[in-house]
Amino acid sequence: MPGLERTSAIGRGVNPPDLLAGGEFRLLGILPRASNYTFLGEVCRNGETALVVYKPRDGETPLWDFPEGTLCRREVAAYALSEWLGWPSVPPTILREGPHGPGAVQLFVNADPREHYFTLRETRLDEFRPVAAFDVLINNADRKSGHCLRSADGTIWLVDHGVSFSVEPKLRTVIWDFAGERLPSALCSDVERLAGELDSGPLRERMLELIDQREVNATVRRARALVRSGRFPSPGSRRSYPWPPV
């Protein structure tokens, strides 16, 4: 099945977000084992084709602790933040109209489901430091092992960020291997620059199109707190771990 690595479908010079936004959209089927309605689709334009994951707003299960109909926007906000930072690798994700209304449309990653964080960390643990820092920044309430995908070219991609950016502390993740360790200086510098950009730069305006002002301001506070501490946080309780873990 084609994925990010299939250059015959996504040629050189093609901007994936532009293809996702402007391509003709058709559904191929529903993806199983998702808590919200999630579809596999295909977008085509000028001979270029890409598989996508489509999460329509109207298919979101209402949650008591997140405003209704906002999970798709949080998916796009996570991509916007990762794109600005340059880490970690989140597949291009846009907000667009689809067959079931507006929703998040993300480039599909062709990955072996038997590989995930718990298997990848055995040989590639260092590559998850940026992931752990990113989850602190976006206040990710659901970083399961299976949200870490390895594509055929070896890239580790991060997906499923719909329950992120809450104002209240909600960090739940399986990635606690770095708890208490110093944040690498390069990551720390990036986070410090991010705080300034989110406070008054163009990125702030982009984020305000996706999440509300209180949530953007809370992201700034988390970034500055991470820089001040200079260390990865430690789990506070059993609620710091998602269930199921994979």
Side-chain angles (χ1 to χ4, degrees), residues 20-21 25 43 52-55 72 76 91-98 103-107:
L20 299 190
F25 196 165
V43 293
V52 297
V53 175
Y54 167 49
K55 298 181 179 181
C72 58
V76 180
T93 312
I94 64 155
L95 197 68
R96 69 164 282 179
E97 191 72 25
V105 176
Q106 183 175 83
L107 205 59

Side-chain angles (χ1 to χ4, degrees), residues 7 114 138 161 225:
T7 55
R114 295 170 297 181
I138 69 171
H161 300 106

Side-chain angles (χ1 to χ4, degrees), residues 28 46 56 89 94 130 142 167 169 177 192 224 228 235 241:
L28 301 178
N46 299 329
S89 296
I94 64 155
D142 192 36
V167 173
D177 303 72
E192 188 170 21
R224 287 179 172 154
R228 283 196 304 272
Y241 298 82

Side-chain angles (χ1 to χ4, degrees), residues 29-224:
I30 192 166
L31 293 173
R33 298 184 299 277
S35 56
N36 301 294
Y37 280 101
T38 305
F39 298 89
L40 180 67
E42 183 180 69
V43 293
C44 303
R45 187 181 69 172
N46 299 329
E48 300 290 348
T49 304
L51 288 180
V52 297
V53 175
Y54 167 49
K55 298 181 179 181
R57 182 188 63 194
D58 292 345
E60 296 176 3
T61 300
L63 301 173
W64 69 269
D65 51 351
F66 284 87
E68 189 172 346
T70 67
L71 304 192
C72 58
R73 292 182 173 274
R74 297 170 194 278
E75 294 269 11
V76 180
Y79 168 67
L81 214 64
S82 72
E83 183 184 36
W84 191 92
L85 285 166
W87 51 264
S89 296
V90 175
T93 312
I94 64 155
L95 197 68
R96 69 164 282 179
E97 191 72 25
H100 294 294
V105 176
Q106 183 175 83
L107 205 59
F108 175 78
V109 178
N110 186 21
D112 184 341
R114 295 170 297 181
E115 290 193 282
H116 47 82
Y117 173 68
F118 290 143
T119 62
L120 293 168
R121 70 176 178 181
E122 296 175 8
T123 56
R124 303 180 64 174
L125 183 60
D126 285 348
E127 295 179 54
F128 286 96
R129 280 188 173 82
V131 181
F134 184 70
D135 285 340
V136 173
L137 293 172
I138 69 171
N139 197 17
N140 192 349
D142 192 36
R143 174 64 75 204
K144 293 183 173 69
S145 182
H147 297 169
C148 307
L149 310 176
R150 180 188 178 277
S151 63
D153 67 357
T155 302
I156 296 175
W157 297 91
L158 292 308
V159 299
D160 288 327
H161 300 106
V163 285
S164 299
F165 296 104
S166 173
V167 173
E168 302 297 326
K170 290 185 180 294
L171 181 61
R172 287 192 292 270
T173 176
V174 296
I175 307 176
W176 290 109
D177 303 72
F178 314 113
E181 289 186 11
R182 286 197 172 278
L183 197 68
S185 58
L187 293 186
C188 197
S189 296
D190 287 347
V191 173
E192 188 170 21
R193 289 190 299 107
L194 176 72
E197 184 72 12
L198 280 176
D199 197 25
S200 59
L203 182 62
R204 179 179 179 85
E205 300 307 313
R206 172 65 176 139
M207 295 294 284
L208 286 172
E209 296 173 356
L210 301 166
I211 58 177
D212 71 32
Q213 181 174 305
R214 292 174 63 246
E215 292 167 334
V216 175
N217 293 341
T219 306
V220 174
R221 291 194 296 271
R222 288 190 298 270
R224 287 179 172 154

Side-chain angles (χ1 to χ4, degrees), residues 11-26:
R12 292 183 179 180
V14 174
N15 185 313
D18 288 347
L19 175 59
L20 299 190
E24 182 182 351
F25 196 165
R26 72 184 182 102

